[in-house]
Amino acid sequence: MAIWDTLKRLMKHTAFSLFGTATDMSVLWVFSHLVFEGSYVGEYIISPMISFECATVVNFLVSSNFVWGDRMKGSGLRSYFKHFLGFNASYVGVFFVKMGLLLLLELATGWDVVWCNLIAVTLCGFINFFMNEKIIFKKK
């Protein structure tokens, strides 16, 4: 039965992660095409960092309420922020993987930053799920 619970939670995580992905892609597009256009560092380093943190906040809010909400019940404000810090820390670790993939894709293909980011975000979504399932929102 545990495998079905995990698969169901993975499906919820994937569906609700679309909010974070939409945030990431939208903020990335705005910063890379309107704020830092023409600057490699601005487009491929700074813009993804800003969009990533915005998406992390959105993902945490959605995840803590809809995906792992059953594991957050009865948690106080202190616990909520403790979970957020762990969530953010794990996402920062995965962010470095995402940035490596994004930059490798850009160097290998020459594609626009938005397309490279979409592929990297998709691959890193699975890492994020297992970090959340086994560490951040683990069963007690």
Side-chain angles (χ1 to χ4, degrees):
M1 193 69 173
I3 189 77
W4 294 114
D5 291 338
T6 302
L7 285 174
K8 190 165 91 175
R9 203 174 296 270
L10 175 62
M11 290 170 49
K12 284 170 74 175
H13 175 264
T14 301
F16 284 117
S17 290
L18 294 176
F19 292 107
T21 301
T23 301
D24 190 13
M25 301 304 286
S26 300
V27 172
L28 177 65
W29 186 88
V30 167
F31 277 88
S32 67
H33 288 82
L34 300 178
V35 178
F36 295 113
E37 185 174 18
S39 164
Y40 183 85
V41 171
E43 286 184 41
Y44 287 90
I45 306 294
I46 298 171
S47 295
M49 290 172 76
I50 294 168
S51 67
F52 166 80
E53 193 57 38
C54 291
T56 299
V57 171
V58 169
N59 278 335
F60 177 75
L61 293 172
V62 171
S63 293
S64 64
N65 288 297
F66 299 108
V67 181
W68 286 280
D70 59 321
R71 296 181 186 175
M72 294 289 293
K73 285 190 188 325
S75 296
L77 193 57
R78 183 170 187 244
S79 176
Y80 193 78
F81 282 110
K82 181 181 170 191
H83 279 91
F84 176 72
L85 289 175
F87 186 91
N88 201 19
S90 73
Y91 269 53
V92 166
V94 174
F95 172 76
F96 289 111
V97 174
K98 177 193 115 163
M99 286 301 296
L101 289 170
L102 184 152
L103 294 172
L104 283 173
L105 284 166
E106 190 278 328
L107 289 172
T109 65
W111 293 343
D112 186 78
V113 65
V114 174
W115 290 111
C116 296
N117 188 65
L118 182 62
I119 293 166
V121 164
T122 301
L123 295 173
C124 288
F126 292 105
I127 298 169
N128 284 329
F129 171 78
F130 287 105
M131 293 289 291
N132 288 329
E133 177 70 11
K134 301 299 181 189
I135 299 170
I136 308 304
F137 300 105
K138 67 183 175 192
K139 283 184 183 179
K140 296 189 180 195

